[in-house]
Amino acid sequence: MIKQVKKTIYNMKKIIKTSFLPILFFVAMGCNRNEMQYDASGTFETTEIIVAAEASGKIMMFDLAEGDVVEQGQIVGFIDSTQLYLSKLQLKNNIKAVKSRKTDVSTQLAAIEEQLVTLNKEKQRVEKLLRANAANTKQLDDINAQIAILERQLTAQRTMIESGNYTINEESSVLEIQIAQLDDQLKKCYISTPISGTVLVKYAEQGEVAVPGKALFKVADTEDMILRAYVSAAQFTQLKLGQEVSVFADFGEENTRKYIGAVSWISEKAEFTPKTVQARDERDNLVYAVKIRVKNDGYLKIGMYAGVKLTADNSSLPTDH
């Protein structure tokens, strides 16, 4: 009886072993295919910019929330600029006061010019009398002397007035430069986004006091995602800038989504294989980093894993496979 039981147990083990061997084989082959499916792998990243305050003062408005989609140049808040505005008004009044001291050249020289016109007429009259022997040369000499004196006075007066006006213009220019500086500072009181993208982190709130250099928020360009992947030395020679490749984003539970990307950067130096990256050939100790730019359709996220085939296949693939 005992021998019969042992024999039965032996036969059952044999059946189980022989039945599961093909299954294990295909599972192993499936895993190997998954591992060898991609030429390279990596994670998505993007261009991230931390926007800092450029002015000092209380944050009067900061209409922004994490996750908001913003456009390049969009105004999302502003910092108190009252004192800067008042300083600008003061400078404008100073410019008016300075320019009021400016002398009108034609007005100031009008009297001398009128005397010269009168003397020149008198000179012409005396010259006619001399030709008729009705006057003497001394009268003409006296008139010429008076004309010469007035002309020198006219030249000196014009030079002095123009010099004074030049100084006033210089003073005015200095004040206008100061106004331009204030305009630049006023412009920096507005908080704007340098790129189009998504707000990742908000570091400040309305009502807080900002100082130059204080981080306000972080924005990322999520329209153009960058996949940082690593390739072996053999694959490195097959790549060139602008080359199209197939990218397969991993959405978990064996779900993938296919994209066409373009190689935007290739490292010129090899590095040791990062622990988080599976190289196609585990014997490759040194790999090259590459960046692949992929247009985001709204599904790609920062940190998401993806595989790469170095040949671009434009044929459509099922979303889930």
Side-chain angles (χ1 to χ4, degrees):
M1 184 68 179
I2 295 174
K3 289 183 178 181
Q4 185 66 30
V5 171
K6 288 183 177 178
K7 186 175 181 180
T8 302
I9 294 173
Y10 174 79
N11 290 334
M12 290 176 66
K13 288 182 177 179
K14 187 175 181 181
I15 292 171
I16 292 172
K17 184 175 181 181
T18 55
S19 299
F20 274 87
L21 279 175
I23 297 174
L24 293 173
F25 173 77
F26 285 112
V27 170
M29 289 299 293
C31 293
N32 289 335
R33 281 198 298 269
N34 288 335
E35 291 177 358
M36 299 298 291
Q37 183 179 4
Y38 305 126
D39 297 319
S41 63
T43 55
F44 281 105
E45 57 186 39
T46 187
T47 302
E48 298 180 0
I49 296 178
I50 296 178
V51 180
E54 297 183 90
S56 299
K58 184 178 179 180
I59 300 176
M60 305 302 293
M61 189 272 285
F62 197 23
D63 187 16
L64 194 69
E66 295 179 359
D68 283 353
V69 177
V70 293
E71 299 294 330
Q72 182 178 11
Q74 179 179 336
I75 303 297
V76 295
F78 65 89
I79 298 170
D80 183 23
S81 59
T82 303
Q83 295 303 317
L84 292 174
Y85 180 71
L86 293 175
S87 297
K88 180 179 178 180
L89 291 180
Q90 183 179 2
L91 286 174
K92 283 187 173 181
N93 288 332
N94 291 343
I95 289 177
K96 290 180 180 178
V98 169
K99 288 185 175 180
S100 66
R101 304 200 314 264
K102 195 171 182 180
T103 304
D104 186 353
V105 178
S106 59
T107 302
Q108 290 295 320
L109 300 180
I112 299 177
E113 290 175 343
E114 187 64 29
Q115 293 180 42
L116 282 172
V117 170
T118 302
L119 285 173
N120 281 316
K121 290 181 179 179
E122 182 65 19
K123 178 182 176 180
Q124 293 176 0
R125 189 183 69 82
V126 172
E127 287 176 343
K128 290 180 180 179
L129 292 174
L130 281 174
R131 286 194 293 270
N133 294 321
N136 55 51
T137 57
K138 184 178 182 305
Q139 291 176 302
L140 182 60
D141 293 340
D142 291 341
I143 292 174
N144 285 332
Q146 292 178 21
I147 290 175
I149 292 172
L150 286 176
E151 287 178 343
R152 288 194 295 269
Q153 289 179 354
L154 182 66
T155 302
Q157 190 76 4
R158 177 179 283 110
T159 301
M160 184 178 65
I161 293 173
E162 290 178 348
S163 177
N165 286 344
Y166 176 80
T167 302
I168 291 172
N169 288 335
E170 288 296 304
E171 291 181 21
S172 178
S173 297
V174 171
L175 295 175
E176 288 173 354
I177 291 173
Q178 292 178 10
I179 288 179
Q181 291 174 335
L182 286 177
D183 284 337
D184 181 64
Q185 294 177 24
L186 286 168
K187 188 183 298 182
K188 291 178 179 178
C189 288
Y190 290 96
I191 304 170
S192 61
T193 59
I195 61 173
S196 299
T198 303
V199 177
L200 300 181
V201 186
K202 185 178 180 182
Y203 300 109
E205 295 293 339
Q206 180 175 324
E208 294 183 5
V209 176
V211 293
K214 177 181 179 179
L216 300 177
F217 66 97
K218 181 193 290 185
V219 61
D221 179 9
T222 53
E223 292 185 3
D224 291 315
M225 302 294 288
I226 299 173
L227 177 66
R228 179 185 285 269
Y230 295 85
V231 298
S232 65
Q235 296 167 329
F236 174 77
T237 59
Q238 304 173 17
L239 288 176
K240 64 179 180 179
L241 292 176
Q243 176 179 333
E244 288 190 345
V245 297
S246 297
V247 176
F248 300 86
D250 185 3
F251 287 84
E253 298 182 359
E254 299 183 0
N255 296 335
T256 60
R257 187 179 293 269
K258 180 184 173 184
Y259 299 86
I260 298 298
V263 178
S264 60
W265 174 80
I266 304 174
S267 175
E268 296 180 352
K269 295 182 180 180
E271 56 185 285
F272 289 104
T273 307
K275 293 182 180 180
T276 56
V277 175
Q278 294 180 353
R280 182 175 183 180
D281 191 342
E282 295 297 337
R283 295 172 297 177
D284 291 332
N285 293 324
L286 294 176
V287 291
Y288 293 85
V290 297
K291 290 183 180 180
I292 301 168
R293 190 172 295 277
V294 180
K295 197 71 177 176
N296 193 359
D297 58 357
Y299 290 98
L300 298 179
K301 304 294 186 293
I302 299 172
M304 183 178 287
Y305 174 85
V308 180
K309 282 187 177 181
L310 299 184
T311 55
D313 182 7
N314 291 308
S315 60
S316 60
L317 290 178
T319 301
D320 302 328
H321 66 281

